[in-house]
Amino acid sequence: MGEFVRSEVRGAVLLITIDRPKALNALNRQVLDELAAILADVGDARALVLRGGGEKAFVAGADIASMVEMDTMQAHAFAAFGQGVVDRLEALPIPTIAAVNGFALGGGCELAMACDLILASRTAVFGQPEVKLGVIPGFGGTQRLVRAVGSQRARELVFTGRNVKAEEAVQLGLALRVCDDVVAEAIALAEQIAANGPIAVRLCKRAILDNDGQALSAALVSERQLFALCFATVDQKEGMAAFLARRKAEFLGA
Ligand code: DAK
């Protein structure tokens, strides 16, 4: 377990907490290293919830204090490493949910957008304020925000750097819904997902991720190959037999 990032297994759900509340959970190299180490092995988890420690923030961005004196080469190395961690999160085989409990700014917003689903607390604040610091989003924000909210809305947000509150984030399609108890609701959603056939859930995610940006015809070929693959699993036989026998399916992940 690291100093700033910890993980807890809650049944089939892995709960990861970025816990550096004195700096509003800002991402420095150590935080990113610790997060990368946890993401490298999610064990048997069927879904993952990511949250920020403390009351105020999910993640308030990349750590400004550690970036202020960087030269070009150091900034490039930092962005490459940070993008790698965010890419690893996005590419995880299991569904991931960001429980955004406060500020999700800059790298924090980018981290949330690398998750499959974003739930927002009533106090959640999203934004890409990098231009206020004289830089551009460095962990994929210019790309994932466009995909999340559309090109024109993303342009307005990255050009102005303005903050977006929870309700607006939902209207924009950046967050799924506003929650009174965001971590509890994220875990409940993760448990709901984890009760389904785990291989099928993973293949759903593969079908969506791998075909992002593909032509529909190619994407549908990929979808039917993944559909056929399900018929090589015990879970497909169990799921369909359970339906026909009017009983609850017992999925093995096999
Ligand atoms: N980095 C470091 N420390 C931070 C921080 C951050 N991003 N955000 C907050 N903190 C620290 C504050 O400095 C303060 O520390 P102390 O002074 O107590 O030691 C503590 O957290 C509490 O913050 P505040 O006192 O400011 O709290 P408030 O409630 O007054 O304000 C705030 C909350 C979230 C509105 C404010 O802290 C704020 O505006 N924070 C900065 C938000 C921000 O600008 N985030 C974007 C960071 S830039 C790239 C790679 C990556 C990136 C870009 C380029 N390449 C290399 C190309 C990514 C960039 C970013 O994410």
Side-chain angles (χ1 to χ4, degrees):
M1 203 65 67
E3 182 183 0
F4 296 130
V5 187
R6 60 173 198 277
S7 63
E8 297 159 52
V9 176
R10 301 243 185 133
V13 178
L14 187 68
L15 175 64
I16 299 180
T17 307
I18 297 179
D19 201 10
R20 195 188 168 217
K22 281 188 184 153
L24 303 187
N25 306 321
L27 304 170
N28 61 15
R29 177 69 197 221
Q30 185 181 342
V31 174
L32 289 169
D33 273 333
E34 291 179 13
L35 181 59
I38 289 174
L39 296 178
D41 180 11
V42 296
D44 296 331
R46 293 187 180 185
L48 181 156
V49 171
L50 180 63
R51 69 164 170 186
E55 301 300 314
K56 279 179 69 174
F58 174 70
V59 167
D63 188 282
I64 298 167
S66 66
M67 290 191 295
V68 62
E69 297 295 345
M70 279 181 188
D71 62 25
T72 304
M73 294 310 289
Q74 289 167 329
H76 190 271
F78 182 61
F81 184 75
Q83 283 177 350
V85 176
V86 175
D87 288 352
R88 183 181 289 190
L89 174 63
E90 184 173 56
L92 279 183
I94 56 174
T96 53
I97 303 171
V100 174
N101 53 319
F103 292 106
L105 300 176
C109 189
E110 291 166 308
L111 202 60
M113 288 191 290
C115 292
D116 294 299
L117 302 166
I118 300 177
L119 297 186
S121 71
R122 298 215 169 267
T123 59
V125 176
F126 299 83
Q128 297 288 164
E130 286 87 346
V131 287
K132 294 177 191 283
L133 302 167
V135 294
I136 73 165
F139 296 156
T142 61
Q143 307 308 307
R144 291 193 179 92
L145 193 60
V146 171
R147 288 166 170 78
V149 305
S151 182
Q152 185 163 220
R153 291 193 174 101
R155 286 168 208 231
E156 189 249 335
L157 293 175
V158 298
F159 293 165
T160 63
R162 76 175 173 88
N163 286 346
V164 170
K165 291 185 179 166
E167 295 286 356
E168 187 186 358
V170 173
Q171 282 165 15
L172 290 170
L174 182 57
L176 183 63
R177 61 173 189 259
V178 182
C179 303
D180 288 322
D181 185 341
V182 71
V183 174
E185 290 189 42
I187 291 172
L189 180 56
E191 285 169 345
Q192 188 185 354
I193 292 167
N196 294 322
I199 296 175
V201 170
R202 284 174 177 233
L203 293 180
C204 284
K205 176 161 176 174
R206 270 278 63 77
I208 293 168
L209 261 187
D210 289 357
N211 293 308
D212 188 24
Q214 296 290 334
L216 182 62
S217 54
L220 289 175
V221 170
S222 159
E223 187 192 68
R224 69 174 177 260
Q225 286 168 345
L226 293 170
F227 175 79
L229 192 58
C230 297
F231 287 74
T233 68
V234 176
D235 283 352
Q236 173 268 325
K237 301 285 179 271
E238 164 64 11
M240 293 188 177
F243 173 81
L244 294 173
R246 296 182 183 274
R247 64 172 172 79
K248 191 171 175 295
E250 296 288 338
F251 291 116
L252 298 175

